[in-house]
Amino acid sequence: MVSLSTLKTLLFTLGPLLLPKAITWYRTARQKTITSNIPIQPLPTPLHRSLNILFITALLALLSTLPFFSPENIFTTTSSRLQTPNDVLFTRLASIRFPTGLTHADNTLRPKIASLDARLLYLTYGPDVLTNCPFCNSDEPSTYFYYALPAILFPHILHLFALGLATSNAVAGKVGNKWRTTAAAIGLSIAFLECYFFATRDWKSNAKAVRPEDYVLFFWRMRTFRGLMLCLADAVVAGLLYLTGTNRMFVTPPTSAERMEMALRGLEQARGKLNAVGIVRNAIVRDEGLRRRTEGYWIKEGKIMGEVMDEREVVEGIRSALSERVQVGQVEEEARKFAEGVTAWPTTGNEVQVSYE
């Protein structure tokens, strides 16, 4: 497995190179979102389901790192060294488990963990492999890895299923489908890293350790590493879905065809509303009762507004606004152009151009 010193060296070497590129990439994505003029929107309802799925999987991955859910390490439980005789080791274990005594798994493990090599493999691949593997042999350590491989990959398969469900088109819609490949790549990368660490692990590295505190509990460390990495992956994918779904980042502007379709849809809706207004207006004009009520409303409106406009304060306020802030000539000219544009009859077959200048 890669040591901590190697990771620090890589971090200090590649960090100054990758950090500016990451900052530039973030600023570019952010600026692209700002210049696209697409407003920020609330999180769509389908993405709520995706984020709930990712939250549950992240929580389960985080809980799996707790000691309560980890397999028992008999050397840590009994505070024994690897060189402790087998009878002494299991006598201590039986006294700790009093009054129930040793379990069936303990009795099965007891003859298989008598040698030092078996105990070193126990710290590398965990108790389940040493207890249940029918063909494993310390003379061929790779057999332990082959037996442990399905158990190593199983959490990652479940994680990939959860990522695929959270980014599927049926659950997350178009936004989730955009990040589907990225989520699968993240999940596969974590699975590959764990398999690589197990395959390249020097299982004899604990042979030189004298005290139990010096033992590298590789199997239990990898369980913690797996849980934290899966939780981090879910958080990253959830962040990408949230930023994209709310149009905060990674926004793809609509194509020309999509913009034209939205414009036509808006025009069609406006046309429908105008038709509805025309129908209502026609019904009011044709109905005698409604027509009288309409005429009465406008007569009353005219009287009220006439009385208001005759008040001294209103007259002075209008005169002040017209003389200081409003250019009456310009307003009249704009009104004239607008009226001519609306009422002009096209003579060349072209559409009437209405100016709002």
Side-chain angles (χ1 to χ4, degrees):
M1 183 179 178
V2 181
S3 62
L4 182 60
S5 60
T6 304
L7 291 176
K8 289 182 178 179
T9 303
L10 290 175
L11 181 62
F12 285 111
T13 303
L14 301 178
L17 298 176
L18 298 179
L19 184 59
K21 293 183 179 295
I23 294 174
T24 303
W25 172 79
Y26 171 78
R27 289 178 177 175
T28 302
R30 185 65 178 168
Q31 186 64 27
K32 183 178 179 181
T33 303
I34 295 174
T35 55
S36 62
N37 294 327
I38 298 179
I40 295 176
Q41 63 180 7
L43 189 68
T45 302
L47 289 183
H48 282 283
R49 298 192 293 267
S50 297
L51 295 186
N52 289 335
I53 294 173
L54 293 174
F55 173 76
I56 293 173
T57 55
L59 182 62
L60 293 176
L62 195 60
L63 290 176
S64 68
T65 63
L66 298 178
F68 179 79
F69 299 101
S70 298
E72 182 186 31
N73 184 349
I74 61 175
F75 294 98
T76 303
T77 303
T78 60
S79 300
S80 302
R81 298 183 298 112
L82 292 177
Q83 293 78 12
T84 302
N86 217 31
D87 293 337
V88 176
L89 176 63
F90 281 89
T91 300
R92 293 176 181 176
L93 187 61
S95 63
I96 291 174
R97 294 183 177 173
F98 181 82
T100 58
L102 298 177
T103 63
H104 176 72
D106 296 332
N107 293 323
T108 305
L109 178 64
R110 185 169 186 170
K112 296 183 178 182
I113 204 173
S115 64
L116 178 60
D117 287 347
R119 296 183 178 190
L120 293 173
L121 290 166
Y122 177 89
L123 297 182
T124 303
Y125 296 104
D128 179 71
V129 176
L130 268 291
T131 303
N132 300 319
C133 182
F135 59 85
C136 296
N137 189 347
S138 58
D139 295 333
E140 297 181 4
S142 59
T143 56
Y144 290 90
F145 172 72
Y146 298 146
Y147 183 83
L149 190 60
I152 295 172
L153 292 177
F154 182 70
H156 296 285
I157 294 174
L158 293 180
H159 182 243
L160 285 171
F161 175 77
L163 289 178
L165 182 63
T167 56
S168 63
N169 192 41
V171 175
K174 186 177 180 181
V175 175
N177 196 38
K178 177 180 180 180
W179 296 107
R180 192 174 180 82
T181 304
T182 303
I186 293 174
L188 289 174
S189 300
I190 298 174
F192 173 79
L193 278 178
E194 185 171 0
C195 293
Y196 172 78
F197 289 153
F198 271 102
T200 58
R201 169 67 179 174
D202 181 13
W203 60 276
K204 290 187 176 182
S205 60
N206 285 317
K208 299 179 181 179
V210 179
R211 299 174 301 173
E213 296 81 7
D214 298 333
Y215 297 152
V216 177
L217 307 179
F218 181 77
F219 172 77
W220 288 267
R221 285 191 179 183
M222 288 305 300
R223 281 182 58 88
T224 303
F225 168 80
R226 178 199 306 155
L228 293 178
M229 291 302 295
L230 295 183
C231 180
L232 179 61
D234 291 337
V236 170
V237 175
L240 293 175
L241 292 176
Y242 175 80
L243 292 174
T244 307
T246 56
N247 292 336
R248 283 177 166 84
M249 285 186 66
F250 313 112
V251 178
T252 302
T255 62
S256 301
E258 291 176 342
R259 290 197 299 268
M260 184 176 296
E261 182 180 357
M262 288 188 293
L264 291 176
R265 191 181 300 115
L267 290 175
E268 190 68 25
Q269 292 176 355
R271 180 173 173 273
K273 292 180 180 179
L274 290 175
N275 289 338
V277 171
I279 293 172
V280 173
R281 180 63 180 171
N282 188 32
I284 292 174
V285 172
R286 291 177 178 272
D287 187 88
E288 182 178 357
L290 293 176
R291 185 170 64 252
R292 289 179 179 177
R293 292 184 62 181
T294 303
E295 292 174 353
Y297 168 81
W298 287 113
I299 293 173
K300 184 177 180 181
E301 176 73 11
K303 292 180 179 180
I304 294 174
M305 293 303 299
E307 295 176 356
V308 171
M309 297 298 293
D310 290 339
E311 295 182 0
R312 181 177 180 180
E313 292 82 1
V314 176
V315 173
E316 291 179 353
I318 295 175
R319 185 182 298 111
S320 176
L322 293 176
S323 61
E324 296 179 2
R325 287 174 291 179
V326 180
Q327 298 180 4
V328 180
Q330 183 179 357
V331 173
E332 292 178 349
E333 181 65 20
E334 291 179 356
R336 183 185 64 80
K337 291 181 179 180
F338 177 78
E340 289 179 354
V342 172
T343 58
W345 185 263
T347 57
T348 60
N350 297 328
E351 294 180 357
V352 178
Q353 301 295 326
V354 181
S355 175
Y356 294 89
E357 300 179 351

